[in-house]
Amino acid sequence: MTGLRPASHGVDQVRAGPFPEAPGEDLLRAIIEAGGEGVVLCGPDDIVVMTNAAAARMVPGIRPGRPVTGGETASLFGPGYPEGESREAAHGPLRLRIRHEVFGIAHRAWYLRDVTDETARADAALAEGRRTAFLIEAGRRLAASLNTRRCARATVELAVPFLADIAMVVLPPSGRRNVQWLRRTGDGPLQEGSVPVTATVGVPGLAESLAGFPPVPSRWLDPGQVPDWVLPEGFGSAGHLLVTPLPGNGVPAGALVLARHEGGPAFDEESETLVRLFASRAGAAISAAALYQEQSATTAVLSGHLLRPDLPVLDGLELAGSLRAAQHAGLIGGDFYDVYLPDSEGSGGPLLVLGDVCGKGAGAAVLAGQVRHALRTLLLLEDRPERLVPLLNRSLLASTAPNSYVTLALGTVETDGDGHVLMNLSVAGHPAPLILRADGTVEEAPVRGSMLGALRKIVVDVVTLDLAPGEMCLFYSDGITEAFGGPSGREMYGTQRLKTALATCAGMPVAAVVERLEQLSTAWLAGDIQDDRALLAVQARAVGR
Amino acid sequence: MLEKTPFRTEVHGIAPGTSLLTLSGDLDYDTAAELFTLARDLFAGDVRHLDLDLSGLDFIDSSGVAALINVYNAAGEHDATMRIVALTSYLRHLFRVTALDQVFALPPKEE
């Protein structure tokens, strides 16, 4: 047996000395049985001459006397692989690592190792890593939007192809008769549509999911019952179906319908768990977006009432106004101004109002709306400020909403024949308007009064201002004078600075004055807008304009 | 954002049925409810006269003014009285603008 190799194995090394004889077959068998690896020893023509028990367990088909390259074992023992190198191959449920060595000219030994468990563990770790990465990516993409449609879109785009071949998000019916859906198939484009609510009953598990019932395992859902509207054209029939609720804030945010091709892998327990985790994230994102959209819609409705109204063009006088809301996200301010024109039967002049309601947010917006509406109604009966203000106070006291407090400045304006504007001015708990005279003098209107909505007994003053051509009267809210900023960042702008700034505006058109004061105030705040700021100015039209 | 001074309240019984409530910091949208709740509880107890020391207030907004009015109204409902015993010149100006100086009992102006 000279020339056998590898010599280093020391199995059959020929030695000089007292034990020259080669090991017998029994010894050889004992040696290969002792190893943990499966060993298949082949002679000429790849006929198996010896195997051990481990090999027989892994590859039951091989028997001594039969060729190893025939039948189902051919793929394992093919000659096409280099000697000494390991490779892995699947054999039935097992995964085997195979290596062969050539001994002499006629013998070849195959070494088999069962690596099924190792591979499974590695695969599991890999799959776990992929699932974690998927959930992280899902969290990242779902958090990126506060729009329900974009969240639903991200949901179906994430789900395909990682979770299924088709993903469809069905949004809950919001009082209408239809439900909206978004779908993605493979790497195809996003598809959207809507179906009547009644159609959701046809999809196994969908109506239950939309109602917020916990998901049922995929194996209980018959994919054969999936109606056509769920599956895109050309998809064929679904092999596996999984319907999962998207849990929202107390109410379901919709349902996720997943389907896989016929013949594809079924949804096992692990993927169902993953889908549930994913669905809870998607549901949270969609419901947060829905809540946000609802809130923004409400905010838009409410702040629509507070938008700067278009100022009318009036004979003999010029008007300009500016309204800047505080920067607090989502908070709607309570400053407003309005110019009410007398109706055709009325005798008085237009009424200018600038007001500030107590508080912030939706409550303030509703209150501001009430005040403006009440003024419009009361004006049909009464336009003298000294009568109008107490009526408004009574109307606010009757309000059931807490803190229905308002401060305002209001005045009726009339032009006389000489280009002068006469204003009957009253204030209620509000900073007194400022008057800019033609020579640059600034006066504070000598008038004050109680804030409204707080007390039964109120003080109301009325003064009549006479504005010569070019002169103006400025209404402002305390957001202008109580703005903290300046060089130190904590200094209050104050009435004196406003007066000084106004004094430099003599002779300017009223629109330019309002713009300038607004700019000065913004510069003082250095970008930190803490409160609403409103300005409304009326100017007797200058001669020649 | 402008740094806020924390709002603080201290109550001292100074005579039977009379309490001194000292306020400091910012009385605004975020803290106004705290003042009203506290005062209402005092009136619901045995306090018949409430003295307010406002000299430590750094800032007050419309919600803060509203809270003071609410305290005043709550006093009326409980047959109690509310008095302001100390305040800043800024608050005095504010009460003048809102004509609340004719409603609240204020200390005489120091010259």
Side-chain angles (χ1 to χ4, degrees):
Chain A
M1 293 183 89
T2 49
L4 278 182
R5 38 159 255 128
S8 58
H9 288 190
V11 177
D12 282 331
Q13 194 176 7
V14 177
R15 305 174 61 149
F19 305 105
E21 65 187 290
E25 194 186 323
D26 287 349
L27 180 57
L28 203 56
R29 177 172 298 281
I31 290 168
I32 62 173
E33 283 294 352
E37 284 188 318
V39 179
V40 180
L41 183 62
C42 300
D45 299 328
D46 289 330
I47 303 293
V48 177
V49 291
M50 192 182 286
T51 66
N52 65 359
R57 181 181 62 76
M58 290 181 237
V59 191
I62 50 169
R63 302 260 158 67
R66 288 197 200 162
V68 79
T69 48
E72 57 178 20
T73 57
S75 61
L76 293 176
F77 302 102
Y81 298 94
E83 185 193 351
E85 274 182 28
S86 295
R87 65 186 176 95
E88 283 185 15
H91 182 68
L94 300 181
R95 188 148 189 95
L96 303 178
R97 187 171 296 152
I98 307 166
R99 170 173 62 90
H100 69 100
E101 303 280 357
V102 178
F103 299 95
I105 49 164
H107 289 84
R108 190 195 295 263
W110 297 87
Y111 299 92
L112 306 172
R113 228 166 93 103
D114 182 355
V115 293
T116 312
D117 291 349
E118 272 170 54
T119 311
R121 276 197 295 277
D123 282 353
L126 201 64
E128 185 61 41
R130 286 217 309 271
R131 283 195 291 270
T132 307
F134 169 75
L135 287 175
I136 289 170
E137 171 70 3
R140 193 183 64 74
R141 283 196 53 191
L142 288 168
S145 178
L146 276 175
N147 173 294
T148 42
R149 192 183 153 274
R150 257 179 251 136
C151 285
R153 179 186 184 140
T155 305
V156 294
E157 285 178 351
L158 284 159
V160 171
F162 193 76
L163 298 175
D165 300 315
I166 297 179
M168 177 187 267
V169 164
V170 182
L171 294 169
S174 52
R176 275 161 286 169
R177 289 179 180 172
N178 286 346
V179 293
Q180 273 191 299
W181 55 260
L182 292 91
R183 177 177 64 203
R184 189 158 183 253
T185 314
D187 50 7
L190 183 82
Q191 294 170 305
E192 294 176 69
S194 69
V195 288
V197 173
T198 47
T200 61
V201 181
V203 185
L206 180 56
E208 293 82 351
S209 283
L210 284 174
F213 289 106
V216 297
S218 169
R219 61 179 187 277
W220 293 1
L221 301 176
D222 177 8
Q225 287 183 22
V226 174
D228 289 342
W229 65 268
V230 175
L231 304 174
E233 250 175 69
F235 183 82
S237 52
H240 311 282
L241 177 69
L242 182 59
V243 181
T244 314
L246 297 169
N249 271 333
V251 289
L256 177 65
V257 179
L258 299 176
R260 289 181 181 165
H261 279 291
E262 239 170 353
F267 291 98
D268 57 14
E269 207 170 303
E270 235 159 37
S271 52
E272 284 183 8
T273 307
L274 179 64
V275 167
R276 270 203 296 280
L277 280 173
F278 172 63
S280 69
R281 284 173 200 210
I286 291 173
S287 72
L291 201 62
Y292 177 80
Q293 277 180 314
E294 208 170 290
Q295 243 171 21
S296 335
T298 313
T299 306
V301 169
L302 292 170
S303 53
H305 277 291
L306 291 174
L307 283 184
R308 198 166 79 169
D310 290 332
L311 293 173
V313 177
L314 299 172
D315 285 342
L317 54 86
E318 304 283 344
L319 293 168
S322 150
L323 193 58
R324 291 276 181 274
Q327 279 172 338
H328 303 290
L331 285 185
I332 315 151
D335 282 11
F336 64 94
Y337 66 73
D338 254 328
V339 176
Y340 300 94
L341 300 179
D343 69 357
S344 51
E345 292 168 27
S347 53
L351 177 79
L352 277 52
V353 178
L354 185 144
D356 182 359
V357 301
C358 175
K360 293 175 188 171
V366 168
L367 180 55
Q370 281 174 354
V371 170
R372 295 169 74 179
H373 190 72
L375 273 173
R376 193 175 292 284
T377 312
L378 292 172
L379 263 178
L380 296 174
L381 308 168
E382 181 59 70
D383 62 0
R384 288 165 292 182
E386 66 274 24
R387 306 286 287 275
L388 192 55
V389 170
L391 282 174
L392 182 60
N393 186 48
R394 279 167 58 190
S395 143
L396 288 167
L397 281 172
S399 165
T400 49
N403 292 354
S404 297
Y405 305 145
V406 178
T407 73
L408 44 84
L410 66 130
T412 51
V413 284
E414 274 177 299
T415 47
D416 71 0
D418 305 327
H420 282 239
V421 167
L422 301 176
M423 177 190 275
N424 283 325
L425 175 70
S426 187
V427 302
H430 202 81
L434 301 177
I435 303 141
L436 174 63
R437 295 300 182 189
D439 62 358
T441 316
V442 173
E443 302 164 13
E444 208 169 298
V447 61
R448 68 194 193 104
S450 319
M451 70 190 292
L452 306 182
L455 305 156
R456 303 222 153 263
K457 198 167 161 292
I458 58 165
V459 181
V460 187
D461 274 356
V462 179
V463 292
T464 302
L465 304 178
D466 183 343
L467 302 174
E471 295 184 337
M472 69 181 72
C473 177
L474 173 75
F475 292 18
Y476 66 95
S477 70
D478 58 8
I480 297 280
T481 46
E482 292 182 5
F484 287 87
S488 69
R490 351 182 96 254
E491 202 173 334
M492 200 160 91
Y493 189 66
T495 315
Q496 194 48 53
R497 277 197 188 82
L498 181 63
K499 284 183 183 172
T500 309
L502 185 59
T504 64
C505 297
M508 285 165 63
V510 68
V513 174
V514 165
E515 194 170 318
R516 179 171 160 73
L517 295 176
E518 206 272 322
Q519 276 173 3
L520 286 172
S521 161
T522 304
W524 182 260
L525 288 164
D528 178 19
I529 315 295
Q530 307 134 3
D531 198 0
D532 297 346
R533 293 170 300 149
L535 292 166
L536 176 65
V538 54
Q539 182 178 38
R541 187 163 296 158
V543 181
R545 272 200 280 135
Chain B
M1 191 63 208
L2 192 74
E3 275 176 49
K4 287 193 167 188
T5 339
F7 177 64
R8 287 212 180 83
T9 58
E10 270 181 45
V11 185
H12 293 283
I14 48 176
T18 303
S19 283
L20 171 67
L21 176 56
T22 307
L23 307 180
S24 61
D26 290 351
L27 178 58
D28 59 13
Y29 183 73
D30 300 318
T31 54
E34 197 182 321
L35 167 63
F36 177 64
T37 311
L38 175 67
R40 194 190 49 195
D41 292 349
L42 288 174
F43 292 133
D46 60 352
V47 173
R48 297 278 72 86
H49 305 285
L50 184 66
D51 287 353
L52 289 177
D53 180 347
L54 308 181
S55 58
L57 282 184
D58 295 309
F59 178 73
I60 186 166
D61 72 353
S62 62
S63 303
V65 174
L68 289 174
I69 295 169
N70 289 338
V71 172
Y72 174 84
N73 287 336
E77 283 164 26
H78 287 88
D79 282 330
T81 59
M82 177 193 108
R83 202 161 60 128
I84 292 168
V85 293
L87 76 171
T88 61
S89 58
Y90 159 69
L91 281 172
R92 192 180 288 279
H93 165 77
L94 189 74
F95 290 151
R96 213 188 72 81
V97 165
T98 51
L100 287 168
D101 56 350
Q102 306 189 3
V103 176
F104 294 157
L106 300 182
K109 196 168 180 179
E110 288 168 33
E111 293 298 336

